[in-house]
């Protein structure tokens, strides 16, 4: 077997972007047409945890969701549907048939042309690319707002993150990318909950793929307002103060007030609580949406910032409260 350049072995944060096989396992809650479309534009493209693929014209922005396909990429894709590492490709059928030289040659050729970038542990996290990738996991966010929120969170590199309201995992994916490499992420969601539908136990392993090798994920399924759930979250944090919390679960005025009252004390002094949907909803909204009202009541008691893409927009908008 050919020696593989050491840089290639580094674990890439990017490859997790491509780890969901939409064709084999449509995500419950995503309608089949949307899932089929995603399977076409986001097939599972490459190795797990080895390299990331970008198109040359996207190098400036680093957008990881645009991939230029060419013959070399196709050849490697064909070989890489299942393997977990580059060595599996070299040692597997494709490598056996074409020889290790051919595999390594194709990979190095792609790197030279800027189509493949070796993962680099020192590379700063590209929040634009993370936000773009989070849309594959159906982040319920305005992309520009999510980029700005990721930037804020990246500054503090949180070690303990609590997310109330995970749905399909879009924001959870994002936090995992900008959190500390040893961060503990705690996700709370209510199966069948309003505004996303929550997730089931079987999605936990999918969400775990979002995390780095040394990150931990605890999933708590239940009503965030129930005292047992509050206690489970408290126990999960093991007395370590929370650095960052997202409140994006029950969007009613009562719901968001209770989440704030129940969990605020877990957040360390100077830590952040993010609220989603601080903009008023459109008048015809049937769902109870009271985050905007609650936010306006409390924001001036704290240092805070508002991330709002368009001041005239209905809904969305992220409030960042420093407690
Ligand atoms: C808007 S989605 C979250 C979106 C996610 N943060 C994102 O942007 O990708 C709201 C989620 O909150 C959950 N939810 C609603 N009420 C809840 C409650 N009382 N406790 C916990 N989760 C709740 C819903 O099940 C839904 O999955």
């Amino acid at each position: 077997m050919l020696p593989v350049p050491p840089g290639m072995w580094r674990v890439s944060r990017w490859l997790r972007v491509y780890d969901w096989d939409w064709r084999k396992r449509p995500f419950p809650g995503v309608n089949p047409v949307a899932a089929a479309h995603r399977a076409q534009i986001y097939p599972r493209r490459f190795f797990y945890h080895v390299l990331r693929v970008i198109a040359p014209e996207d190098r400036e922005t680093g957008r990881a969701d645009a991939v230029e396909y060419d013959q070399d990429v196709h050849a490697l894709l064909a070989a890489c549907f299942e393997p977990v590492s580059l060595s599996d490709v070299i040692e597997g059928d494709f490598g056996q048939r074409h020889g290790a030289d051919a595999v390594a040659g194709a990979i190095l050729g792609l790197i030279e042309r800027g189509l493949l970038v070796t993962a680099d542990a020192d590379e700063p996290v590209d929040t634009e690319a993370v936000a773009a990738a989070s849309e594959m996991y159906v982040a319920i966010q305005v992309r520009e707002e999510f980029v700005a929120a990721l930037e804020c969170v990246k500054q503090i590199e949180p070690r303990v993150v609590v997310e109330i309201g995970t749905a399909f995992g879009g924001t959870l994916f994002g936090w995992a990318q900008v959190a500390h490499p040893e961060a503990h992420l705690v996700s709370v969601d209510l199966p069948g909950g309003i505004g996303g539908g929550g997730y089931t136990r079987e999605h936990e392993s999918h969400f775990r793929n979002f995390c780095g090798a040394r990150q931990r994920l605890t999933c708590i399924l239940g009503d965030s307002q129930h005292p047992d759930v509050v206690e489970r979250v408290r126990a999960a944090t093991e007395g370590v103060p929370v650095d960052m919390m997202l409140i994006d679960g029950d969007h009613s005025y009562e719901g968001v007030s209770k989440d704030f009252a129940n969990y605020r004390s877990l957040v360390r002094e100077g830590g952040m609580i993010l609220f989603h949907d601080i903009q008023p909803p459109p008048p015809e909204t049937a769902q109870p949406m009271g985050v905007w009202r609650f936010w306006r009541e409390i924001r001036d008691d704290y240092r805070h910032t508002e991330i709002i893409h368009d001041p005239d927009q209905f809904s969305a908008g992220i409030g960042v409260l420093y407690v």
Side-chain angles (χ1 to χ4, degrees):
M1 187 180 120
L2 270 190
V4 175
M8 284 190 187
W9 291 109
R10 296 207 189 138
V11 169
S12 164
R13 299 170 77 84
W14 297 109
L15 260 291
R16 288 190 295 276
V17 166
Y18 303 117
D19 71 357
W20 187 255
D21 186 342
W22 293 95
R23 282 165 296 193
K24 280 192 184 158
R25 305 178 66 194
F27 200 96
V30 173
N31 87 44
V33 177
H37 179 61
R38 263 195 199 95
Q40 269 184 349
I41 54 173
Y42 299 125
R44 196 161 119 186
R45 290 197 184 104
F46 225 74
F47 319 107
Y48 280 26
H49 308 310
V50 184
L51 302 164
R52 77 180 161 119
V53 186
I54 59 170
E57 64 272 19
D58 283 321
R59 292 195 80 177
E60 298 269 300
T61 60
R63 282 189 45 174
D65 60 344
V67 178
E68 184 177 283
Y69 287 91
D70 71 1
Q71 280 203 328
D72 287 344
V73 172
H74 274 300
L76 284 169
L77 282 175
C80 300
F81 199 68
E82 287 302 337
V84 292
S85 74
L86 194 52
S87 64
D88 287 343
V89 181
I90 291 175
E91 288 164 1
D93 280 353
F94 182 84
Q96 297 293 324
R97 257 186 291 121
H98 298 271
D101 283 356
V103 178
I107 289 170
L108 293 172
L110 291 172
I111 291 170
E112 271 161 28
R113 287 155 47 212
L115 283 167
L116 278 179
V117 179
T118 51
D120 180 349
D122 301 327
E123 186 181 1
V125 175
D126 178 343
T127 49
E128 297 242 0
V130 170
S134 75
E135 288 170 15
M136 285 169 32
Y137 303 116
V138 205
I140 307 171
Q141 301 290 322
V142 171
R143 179 169 321 173
E144 292 80 357
E145 293 178 356
F146 193 38
V147 171
L150 286 166
E151 278 297 324
C152 283
V153 175
K154 192 173 91 170
Q155 303 307 319
I156 63 164
E157 215 189 9
R159 282 178 173 267
V160 183
V161 173
V162 172
E163 173 169 279
I164 300 173
T166 293
F168 305 111
T171 43
L172 185 68
F173 168 81
W175 310 139
Q177 311 316 303
V178 294
H180 190 274
E182 293 179 3
H184 180 195
L185 294 104
V186 180
S187 155
V188 183
D189 207 313
L190 176 64
I194 296 176
Y199 59 90
T200 58
R201 284 276 165 226
E202 66 155 352
H203 297 114
E204 287 186 30
S205 57
H206 166 52
F207 292 156
R208 212 150 265 131
N209 286 329
F210 296 169
C211 298
R214 288 178 293 139
Q215 291 179 332
R216 264 195 307 148
L217 174 67
T218 302
C219 294
I220 297 174
L221 301 189
D223 180 350
S224 61
Q225 294 154 43
H226 193 285
D228 289 353
V229 172
V230 177
E231 193 38 49
R232 282 164 66 199
V233 174
R234 186 181 297 279
T237 58
E238 298 161 342
V240 182
V242 173
D243 299 300
M244 193 287 264
M245 176 176 290
L246 171 70
I247 297 185
D248 194 15
D250 178 346
H251 283 54
S252 67
Y253 178 86
E254 293 70 26
V256 70
S257 325
K258 283 185 189 160
D259 281 345
F260 185 68
N262 284 330
Y263 297 101
R264 186 216 169 295
S265 65
L266 296 183
V267 182
R268 72 166 164 82
E269 207 182 313
M272 293 173 179
I273 302 184
L274 274 59
F275 294 82
H276 190 234
D277 286 313
I278 60 166
Q279 281 287 90
E284 66 277 10
T285 305
Q287 238 173 271
M289 299 287 273
V291 181
W292 67 279
R293 203 151 55 81
F294 181 72
W295 171 253
R296 286 173 193 196
E297 277 175 22
I298 60 156
R299 65 183 170 188
D300 293 330
D301 295 340
Y302 299 87
R303 184 161 70 89
H304 67 273
T305 48
E306 295 187 338
I307 302 168
I308 298 169
H309 179 54
D310 173 357
D312 295 328
Q313 79 196 27
F314 288 122
S315 299
I318 299 170
V320 183
L321 205 69
Y322 297 88
V323 297

